[in-house]
Amino acid sequence: MGVEIVGLGKCLPEKVVTNDDISDLVDTDHTWIIERTGIEQRHIAAGESGTDLACKAAEEALGNIDRDSIGLVLVATVTPDAMVPVTSAQVKMRLGLDHAVAFDINAACSGFMYGIWCAEALMKNGAAPGAGTMNIQRALVIGAERLSRITNWKERSSCILFGDGAGAAVLENNPKRPGILATYLKNYDDQKGVLTCGKEYHQTPFYKDENQPQHLALRGKAVFKFAVNSIEEVTMEALKQAGLELDDIDWFVPHQANGRIMEAAAKRLNQPIEKFQISINKSANVSSASIPMALYDLSKTGKMEKGDKIAVMGFGGGLCAAAAIIEW
Ligand SMILES: CC(C)(COP(=O)(O)OP(=O)(O)OC[C@H]1O[C@@H](n2cnc3c(N)ncnc32)[C@H](O)[C@@H]1OP(=O)(O)O)[C@@H](O)C(=O)NCCC(=O)NCCS
């Protein structure tokens, strides 16, 4: 039995923030940003909530699919609108997905990949979400972020990198199609705290916690190195599981963190950069939303054909990394 992607959706906030706009905030310029990152612009939510973005992406991915057939909603996010209710529960309610179980996942920029892995496992093992319900026939997996709310807008080496948006995929159990051929996930330990974001809580009357930094903080060069190494490792492991070689892959869809990371990964894997989906120029790094948005962009190019093999690769805070090999 295979689990395949049968619908994709994407939603970006209306407001576009250019590199020139950023140079009004910090000491930077368009040339530096484009040369070091490949980013031309990003979309920033100005009125839209993360749930709004998630719902719009999900509606597009669902299209005409029967909403009663959705048994699972997973939202990967590091920037939920609220701690409770979780974003997936809000999406389920707003879209009327009455037969779905909903919960959120946080695996930073690899969150969508961890969501795909969970959904596939639950769909394949025959899990029935509630009394009297059928096995999960279809699942909705979403990555949705408003990273602009955790970005340090005074820090030039990080505020240039991030944007807001959402991407969604509908997965379907289909005994006749191979779909996801293999998934490989790996957690590396972030012993030096190279990619962190604290969270502010109230002090308790019983113990005074130290204040945590509340912004995304990264050691760019260390993350860059981790990204290239982990992409190589998880891709090769997933390929091994799928019984495929690098040259069998038609398209690579990596997490969109930096254009140079993708170029370095292409070199490391000895693959032409033309096989890589590059979406970072228009939407920057949108953490868990980057991969489904890039998959969506690739699907819209019209280049992908039925039967094509796609390697999807995630990496990010945690440090988490993941790769999936999918037959389209
Ligand atoms: C952040 C990143 C773009 C920085 O690029 P880099 O080539 O490593 O640049 P450096 O940090 O070494 O900085 C080089 C110089 O540019 C300066 N600089 C940093 N940001 C700048 C900016 N926005 N504009 C102009 N100059 C900048 C630095 O101060 C430094 O100056 P110095 O040489 O006088 O000290 C890059 O490391 C990166 O993309 N890393 C991974 C991204 C990431 O962590 N993503 C999140 C995880 S998924």
Side-chain angles (χ1 to χ4, degrees), residues 27-29 32-33 36-37 109 156-157 160-162 195 218 220-221 223-224 255 257-258 260-261 285 315-316:
D27 180 15
T28 189
D29 59 79
W32 194 96
I33 300 174
R36 296 295 179 112
T37 69
C109 301
R156 68 175 181 172
S157 59
I160 55 167
L161 297 171
F162 303 112
L195 186 46
L218 54 100
K221 278 203 191 321
V223 179
F224 197 113
H255 170 50
N258 184 321
R260 288 191 297 131
I261 290 177
N285 179 348
F315 58 86

Side-chain angles (χ1 to χ4, degrees), residues 24-25 56 59 61 63 103 116 128 136 153 177 237 253 268 328:
D24 290 340
L25 304 174
K56 282 206 176 131
E59 276 180 324
F103 59 96
I116 291 280
I136 299 167
W153 290 104
R177 300 266 315 143
E237 287 294 338
V253 183
R268 192 69 81 79
W328 196 244

Side-chain angles (χ1 to χ4, degrees), residues 4-135:
E4 66 169 346
I5 295 177
V6 293
L8 287 166
K10 164 176 153 177
C11 179
L12 289 166
E14 265 180 41
K15 186 175 178 56
V16 172
V17 173
T18 64
N19 291 341
D20 287 341
D21 294 330
I22 303 260
S23 67
D24 290 340
L25 304 174
V26 290
D27 180 15
T28 189
D29 59 79
H30 176 72
T31 309
W32 194 96
I33 300 174
I34 197 90
E35 282 177 0
R36 296 295 179 112
T37 69
I39 297 168
E40 290 166 30
Q41 61 170 53
R42 68 286 294 139
H43 290 248
I44 300 291
E48 304 96 335
S49 69
T51 307
D52 294 337
L53 301 173
C55 285
K56 282 206 176 131
E59 276 180 324
E60 185 178 2
L62 283 166
N64 294 327
I65 290 169
D66 175 13
R67 293 186 182 200
D68 283 346
S69 69
I70 303 295
L72 179 67
V73 181
L74 296 179
V75 174
T77 183
V78 298
T79 51
D81 294 333
M83 299 275 282
V84 178
V86 289
T87 307
S88 51
Q90 296 280 13
V91 171
K92 173 198 174 292
M93 180 170 71
R94 279 209 213 166
L95 301 190
L97 307 174
D98 295 338
H99 299 284
V101 161
F103 59 96
D104 283 11
I105 287 182
N106 181 345
C109 301
S110 303
F112 179 80
M113 303 299 297
Y114 280 57
I116 291 280
W117 176 68
C118 281
E120 187 202 2
L122 291 169
M123 291 167 86
K124 278 191 172 162
N125 86 357
T133 59
M134 307 287 285
N135 296 351

